[in-house]
Every structure is written in structure tokens, then in C-alpha cells.
Amino acid sequence: MNMAAIYAGIPLTLVMTALWALASCIVTGLCYAASPKRLRVWTAVLLWVCGLAIVLSAAWHCLILGVYAAKGWLFVEGTVKTAVPVMLLSHLSYILFARPQLRAIRMMAADEAMVNLQAKASHPRFVIPVYAAGAASGLNALSTIFSQPVLPGFMEIMQWPALLLIILFIPFAVIRRRYQAMLNCQFLIKPIGERLLTAAASVTLSLLMAGAGVGSAALLERNASLLPEASDMMNHHEVDEGGGVPTALTALHTHDAHHGHANGVEVAALTGDISAPADVRFELTAQKQSVTLTSGAIVEAWTYNGELAPQLRVKQGEMVEVRLVNKDIEKGVTIHWHGYNVPNAMDGVPGMTQNIVRPGEDFTYKFRADQAGTYWFHSHQQASEQVGKGLFGSLLVDPLRETEETDSELVVIQHTWRTSQGQLKAFGNEDQKQFKQVEPGNKIKLRIINTDHQSQKYRLQGTDYRITSIDGMQILEPEPLENQTSFRIASGGRYDVTFTMPDHPVQLLTGGSSGAGGPSILFHTGIPPEHSELGEESREFDLAEYGKPLANDLTSAAAFDREFTMIMGNRLGFYNGQLRFLWTINGKVHPYTPMFAVKEGDKVKTTFVNRSLAEHPIHLHGHHMTVLKKNGREVKAPWQTDTLNVLPGESYEVAFLADNPGMWMDHCHNLDHAATGMILHLMYDHVLPSYEVGMRSGNLPD
């Protein structure tokens, strides 16, 4: 509904603006009509044009009401606070003042003196409401396309009437002067060229005045958007405590308040208990490497150990030690353990939990592998670039006791590579169809990892299957899904999929029904077929209705200690001095996004609302979220996730237990969005920063 409203709202406001622009031209020229008859004809035309514009305005307001009824207040609050008042006032002024005058002029007797008709047609109370409706519609159209307001403050709300008054100031002065001339019998009908020049000058001057105001605001925004040379991650402009009891961060806005925590602990000290010797050790060397895909396409990759997507495999409960060495990545590297709830100091976020590892340096990560399941790791230093170039791999943690027996498994780690042959999708380095021979009756497990910036759709064609785990968390009693069912994995997400091999081929596909344009895997029992039959996709898997409902302290909670809201939007604006199309949280980008403050032990609920034009996979570090509601309704089967894909027009309510102290990123895992500020932080109130971000330190997380 929200996406339909946005896409319907754009043409509605544009057509409305065009109609009011036409009406403005007509109303400006009415007093120059050559005769009463012609004046009445143009008055009738004006009534029809304005009437159609009013109908479209009513349709737009109904659209807003429809979104409110279907989606709730958070999907419309910015528009209701900014655009709706200006639209209503301007259009009501036409209905109350201009329209009655129009009808009166149209109904005047044929022998009415022309000078009286001209005076009525040039009255500011008759002309200015038409201009106002046109200006308001134009502002609304620009806002709908470029800058939908989200949680606007008083100043942002007042910008709308202020801009409207600025735009109308010059036209009002010109119309008033013309009207006074008529009343004083000093009105002269000038040549049409001179009249057009006056009108153009009036419009240009109005736009220049409005542009000066907008330009001044843009210059202030540009300067405010410049990222500081150095800053610690507590240097936030807004602390949100979620309506709970005050935290130790209440005084954050006072100078150096964060140095005053009597019982504070620094991030660097939050290593967990790593006194035990390591059970398993790995070394990963970050280095540049030319890698050839199976098609022959060459990738100038940034890799760990010179290979694409290396695999680390450990046993649940083992103490894991990973030494990261940077050979030649000039901008520095880290390792973030995506979805793995390591102690904060091991989370691998530059400037927050460690400094970057520069060329020739090393850093050792150590943690106990308490969580079984499918995970992955990647650099978090300028992650949009570094993950894109290949600094990632898989982390597989086998459970102490297997709950499902499989005969074989396959790790399918999808990525889009920039190659000598253009952009190519691949499973690891396999960018063509793979063939795997499997005995009939064997049970196969696929660990599918999506490392791309966008969600990816998959299909397992040829047999029923089960999704047994999502983001490392087991699904309780998963039902079989028919082979026409597709499933979509968020950026950064992981699905474990199991199936029993039948006596005919089975194919894993990416993308739509044909699977064209992406890699695939064909499982066969002997000689691979020359052609594989592909059926039509029947439906897309909905996790909200799958498996046995999860039951934990969060699903049964009657109340939460803190409740936060994240509204995802988009607008044209500045980030670090550059004009960009921004993806925002609560109308802002980092470092102006709020910092969510919690106390250890809090039960925390967060509401995600996506009002933007794109999907946003929201990834919370250090915790798994329990999904409680989707689009305002309780999900039939709550589940746990670390990366929740929120599609345009969707809303979710999720909850987590604040049981892993630290300073944690909470961001969109479309890493291009994160790179332009779609980031906020979850902060435990007793934790202090140990590092800084910015050009001075070289720590540049996204």
C-alpha cells in the first residue's frame, strides 16, 4: 500500500501542479479579456481546470488517509505535519474565496460594465488563492519525489508555510498594484509582450527568493554534513532511551560527560573470558589477488589467503583464535563475525571495537564458539568497497550433538563480482552451472549465504525441501515446501536448506522462474541431463507462517523496558559535503541518527517502518532479534534473526535481550546505504569508547 501510494502520489501531485500552473496563467490574464463574453468563456474554462485540480487534491488526501488506515500513523506522520496543512489551507482558500468570485463573474449580466468585470477578475483575494494552490502543489510534488519528511521538527514544519509566503510575496505585490490601478482608473492594457515579460520577471524573482532560502538551508546542511576529522562513537547529537528509566548516558550532552562514568568499562576490555588456550587456530592474510572464475572471467579481488570465500569450520564450544594479517590492503582491514554474538571487543568494527589493521600489522580475534550454525565473516572497514571486492568468507560451527543427519552438505556463498567480463553472479568462484552427482535417497544440506548488497531469490526445483535454519537459528518443526516455492535471503542472511535426493535431477537456481543470468547447481543421480525442465514459481516463502512458533521470554513479555522506533526513508541531501540520494533513519543520517541507550538486562522492542523506495536488511550486531509482528499483526511463528529484510511499505516489531554489553552497530546491510550514513548505534550505558573514527585514525566503518 505504501509503495502504491508513493508511486500514485508522484503523478497526482505533478498533474495537480500542472493544472494549477495552467489555472494561474488563465487567472492572471482574465482582466485582459477583450469583451465580457470572452471573459465569461475563460472563467468557465478556469472553473473546470480548478475543479479538476481540486478533485485530484481530494484524491491525494484520500490516498494519505488510505495509507494511514492500512499502515498506521508512522507511515504518514511527516506528510500530515508538513504537506497536508499547506495543501488544505491553500485549496480551501480557493474554495472559500476564489471559486465564489469565479461563479459570480460567470453569472454576471451581459451588459455589466467591463471595468467592473476587470476589477473583480483582478482582485488579490480572487487571484492569490489560485497561485497559493499551485505553489503548495509544487512543493508537495518536489517533497514526494526528493524529500519525504520523517519525524519533522518544528523548524522543518514551518519551512513549508515560510516557503509558500516567500513564493507568493512578489506575485501578491504585483497583483495588488494592478488592482489598485484599476480602482484608481489608472489601469492600462499593455502590449502582450510586455505583460509576458512582467509575468516572467515576477515568477523568476519569486523562484530566486525561494531558491535563496533553499540554497541557504542547503549550504548550512552541506557544512553540517561534513564528517569530523576525529570523533568517538559516543559523540552523538541525540540519545534515545526508549522511554525507559534514565540511563547513565542521560548527561551525554554535557561536555566530556562520558568520561564521568564511575563504574564504566571501556570497549577494549570487553573481550569475554579468553584465558583458556585456543582449541583451534586460523590465520587469515588480507591481500590483493587476481582470481579466475570458472567462466574464465578475471577478478582483481581483495581476499583472505588469496582465495575467494575461505571457510573456517569449528565445533560448538571450542575456543577459536583467528590471527588477521594485512599484507597489502592500504586502507586497512578488520574481521566482523556476521551474526555471531562475540564479546564486543572481538566484533571487528573499526573505530568502535578496534583500530584498523594496517599493511604489515596483525590483530588476533579470540572467542568461544557458543553458537552452532551457518555464519560468515567480512571486513567492516569501508565495507561497501571491501566486501564487494572479496574480503569475506564462511564460518561454520558444528553442533555438539547433531539434531539432523545428512549424507553430504554444500556451502553456497553467493556474490556478484566485478570482472574482466563485467558484473557476474557466482557461487564462490563458480559462475556457471555446476553438476553434482548424488545417490538417490541421500539427504543433502545446503548452507546458502548471501553476501550481495541486495536480497536474492532462490528456488530448489525438482523436489520438496525444508528450510531448517535461518541466520544460524534453528526452525522448529519445519514443514516441507513444494519445489515451486521460491525463497528470498536478505543481504547478509543465511538459510540452511535440506532435501532428500529423488531419482531425478534437482536444481538450485537464483533469480526468477528461468534462473537465467545467474549461477545454478544441478544435482543428478548419474549422467547429467542435457536439458532440465523448469516449472513455474507458485509462491514465495513467508517465514512469518513457517514452522512451530518460537517461545522465549520475549514472545511472552507483557511489557518491555525500552521501545525504539526506526523509520527508514529517503531524501536528497548532503553526506560529507556531497549531494546524494540519502537513505535515512528517522529522517537523519549518521552521525545525526539517534543512539539507542540501554541497560544490561533490559528487554528491548524496536519497531521498523520502511517508508522508502528500497528494501533495507537491518543488521543488529551482537544480538539476535525475535520477530514478533509484521505489518501490525502478530506473526504466526515468531523466529530469530540477525538480519531482517524490511521491504518498502513493510513494518516489523522485533525484540531482543540486552545481554551482551558493548557499543554495537545497528545498520542497513545494503552496504551502499550504510556507506552514506544509514547507521545508528546501540549503547550500553556503562560502556566507554576506546577508539575514534575519522580520517585522523583511518577508522572508517560502514
Side-chain angles (χ1 to χ4, degrees):
M1 175 67 181
N2 189 58
M3 283 297 293
I6 291 173
Y7 286 128
I10 290 174
L12 267 179
T13 53
L14 287 175
V15 174
M16 228 191 306
T17 302
L19 287 172
W20 283 118
L22 176 60
S24 297
C25 294
I26 296 173
V27 78
T28 302
L30 276 182
C31 64
Y32 299 107
S35 66
K37 180 180 179 180
R38 188 164 291 183
L39 178 61
R40 282 190 289 272
V41 170
W42 279 110
T43 300
V45 172
L46 183 58
L47 274 169
W48 276 102
V49 172
C50 293
L52 183 55
I54 289 292
V55 169
L56 293 181
S57 175
W60 179 81
H61 283 89
C62 288
L63 196 66
I64 301 303
L65 284 173
V67 175
Y68 171 68
K71 296 291 186 178
W73 171 246
L74 291 178
F75 279 90
V76 299
E77 57 81 32
T79 302
V80 170
K81 291 176 181 176
T82 55
V84 168
V86 171
M87 288 285 289
L88 281 175
L89 287 173
S90 60
H91 286 72
L92 283 173
S93 70
Y94 164 78
I95 293 171
L96 295 175
F97 301 115
R99 190 171 183 275
Q101 188 88 331
L102 269 173
R103 291 176 63 86
I105 292 172
R106 188 183 179 194
M107 301 304 294
M108 278 184 174
D111 59 353
E112 181 78 22
M114 188 63 186
V115 66
N116 291 337
L117 292 174
Q118 288 175 324
K120 289 180 181 297
S122 62
H123 197 295
R125 195 172 63 180
F126 169 60
V127 179
I128 295 302
V130 178
Y131 291 173
S137 299
L139 290 173
N140 190 14
L142 290 173
S143 174
T144 302
I145 297 169
F146 296 113
S147 182
Q148 295 181 41
V150 175
L151 299 177
F154 177 76
M155 293 302 295
E156 187 177 351
I157 293 171
M158 295 308 298
Q159 284 175 5
W160 284 69
L163 271 174
L164 190 62
L165 290 174
I166 290 172
I167 293 170
L168 294 177
F169 179 78
I170 297 297
F172 176 77
V174 171
I175 296 300
R176 186 174 182 276
R177 182 180 177 185
R178 186 178 71 177
Y179 180 66
Q180 290 293 334
M182 284 190 175
L183 293 181
N184 297 328
C185 300
Q186 297 174 347
F187 178 66
L188 298 176
I189 298 180
K190 299 177 182 178
I192 187 169
E194 191 173 338
R195 298 203 305 266
L196 290 174
L197 187 62
T198 301
S202 175
V203 171
T204 301
L205 194 55
S206 297
L207 292 177
L208 284 174
M209 290 178 65
V214 173
S216 299
L219 183 61
L220 291 173
E221 181 185 345
R222 178 195 174 278
N223 293 336
S225 76
L226 295 172
L227 299 178
E229 185 72 13
S231 171
D232 68 51
M233 300 304 271
M234 287 182 70
N235 185 21
H236 277 256
H237 295 75
E238 179 184 348
V239 177
D240 185 349
E241 296 181 322
V245 298
T247 70
L249 296 174
T250 301
L252 183 67
H253 289 287
T254 61
H255 182 63
D256 280 346
H258 57 280
H259 292 301
H261 293 324
N263 299 314
V265 57
E266 288 202 8
V267 166
L270 294 172
T271 61
D273 183 2
I274 54 174
S275 58
D279 298 303
V280 59
R281 290 183 173 87
F282 301 96
E283 183 168 301
L284 295 173
T285 299
Q287 62 187 84
K288 298 176 182 178
Q289 183 75 40
S290 292
V291 180
T292 303
L293 303 183
T294 53
S295 66
I298 297 174
V299 181
E300 296 302 330
W302 293 2
T303 70
Y304 292 117
N305 293 350
E307 59 181 302
L308 300 184
Q311 181 184 119
L312 306 184
R313 190 157 200 151
V314 301
K315 195 79 171 176
Q316 186 179 15
E318 288 183 329
M319 182 66 77
V320 181
E321 186 175 286
V322 182
R323 180 171 177 258
L324 170 64
V325 179
N326 184 355
K327 180 180 178 182
D328 56 10
I329 308 298
E330 291 87 353
K331 297 179 181 180
V333 294
T334 66
I335 295 177
H336 165 61
W337 310 96
H338 188 111
Y340 218 76
N341 301 334
V342 296
N344 194 217
M346 299 295 146
D347 195 46
V349 179
M352 181 180 288
T353 66
Q354 69 173 94
N355 287 319
I356 54 170
V357 181
R358 300 178 184 276
E361 295 180 347
D362 65 90
F363 184 91
T364 299
Y365 300 89
K366 191 174 182 181
F367 56 89
R368 191 168 294 283
D370 291 323
Q371 302 164 222
T374 303
Y375 303 91
W376 68 300
F377 59 90
H378 61 81
S379 178
H380 229 301
Q381 166 75 351
Q382 296 185 315
S384 178
E385 176 186 25
Q386 295 200 358
V387 174
K389 289 188 173 183
L391 280 172
F392 62 83
S394 60
L395 172 65
L396 311 180
V397 183
D398 295 321
L400 284 173
R401 289 176 295 278
E402 285 287 354
T403 56
E404 54 175 342
E405 293 297 327
T406 57
D407 296 295
S408 61
E409 70 171 42
L410 185 66
V411 177
V412 181
I413 187 162
Q414 176 164 334
H415 194 70
T416 300
W417 300 103
R418 295 178 181 175
T419 77
S420 57
Q421 299 177 16
Q423 287 197 343
L424 294 175
K425 291 183 181 294
F427 294 155
N429 69 336
E430 299 276 355
D431 60 334
Q432 297 182 321
K433 180 181 285 189
Q434 302 177 59
F435 297 90
K436 305 286 185 183
Q437 184 172 350
V438 181
E439 291 295 323
N442 278 10
K443 191 171 184 180
I444 311 302
K445 180 177 184 177
L446 305 177
R447 298 179 184 259
I448 306 175
I449 304 171
N450 177 21
T451 69
D452 273 333
H453 292 350
Q454 301 283 346
S455 67
Q456 300 294 324
K457 182 186 282 190
Y458 302 85
R459 293 177 62 207
L460 192 65
Q461 177 70 42
T463 186
D464 293 348
Y465 62 93
R466 286 179 169 85
I467 296 174
T468 58
S469 178
I470 291 179
D471 291 349
M473 300 289 105
Q474 281 194 329
I475 301 297
L476 303 175
E477 300 179 11
E479 304 97 358
L481 299 167
E482 59 184 16
N483 63 34
Q484 287 87 357
T485 306
S486 66
F487 54 94
R488 183 177 294 276
I489 302 182
S491 169
R494 292 90 58 211
Y495 277 23
D496 286 359
V497 175
T498 62
F499 67 95
T500 300
M501 186 66 190
D503 58 2
H504 55 263
V506 173
Q507 189 167 5
L508 176 68
L509 305 165
T510 60
S513 296
S514 67
S520 63
I521 305 173
L522 192 144
F523 301 90
H524 61 90
T525 58
I527 300 174
E530 293 184 7
H531 303 285
S532 52
E533 296 292 332
L534 298 178
E536 289 296 320
E537 176 185 330
S538 61
R539 68 184 181 94
E540 189 168 317
F541 166 69
D542 184 359
L543 184 53
E545 300 178 352
Y546 189 65
K548 180 182 177 181
L550 172 72
N552 58 25
D553 290 343
L554 299 171
T555 60
S556 61
F560 293 89
D561 299 298
R562 303 186 190 278
E563 297 187 13
F564 300 108
T565 300
M566 290 174 62
I567 302 177
M568 299 150 229
N570 48 260
R571 65 179 177 85
L572 192 67
F574 289 92
Y575 186 75
N576 201 21
Q578 295 185 336
L579 186 64
R580 297 174 178 267
F581 195 71
L582 301 178
W583 304 99
T584 63
I585 298 175
N586 294 354
K588 299 178 175 63
V589 292
H590 178 75
Y592 294 95
T593 48
M595 179 169 67
F596 291 166
V598 300
K599 287 179 172 291
E600 187 172 1
D602 282 347
K603 292 178 181 177
V604 182
K605 184 176 78 172
T606 304
T607 299
F608 299 140
V609 175
N610 188 354
R611 287 179 49 181
S612 79
L613 300 173
E615 66 181 18
H616 297 294
I618 301 300
H619 173 47
L620 173 61
H621 289 211
H623 307 75
H624 272 75
M625 303 172 283
T626 298
V627 182
L628 304 175
K629 289 185 179 181
K630 179 180 180 180
N631 297 331
R633 298 181 179 179
E634 291 185 2
V635 296
K636 292 182 180 178
W639 76 95
Q640 288 184 303
T641 180
D642 56 68
T643 309
L644 182 63
N645 202 37
V646 187
L647 297 177
E650 286 187 341
S651 65
Y652 284 90
E653 289 184 17
V654 303
F656 65 91
L657 181 64
D659 59 356
N660 195 2
M663 183 185 296
W664 301 100
M665 283 188 78
D666 194 0
H667 64 100
C668 178
H669 212 273
N670 181 326
L671 296 173
D672 289 338
H673 296 176
T676 54
M678 201 171 192
I679 299 170
L680 57 75
H681 298 111
L682 174 73
M683 186 72 177
Y684 284 69
D685 69 336
H686 67 288
V687 175
L688 301 172
S690 300
Y691 310 98
E692 67 176 35
V693 295
M695 296 302 296
R696 185 171 70 186
S697 64
N699 294 322
L700 303 171
D702 61 52

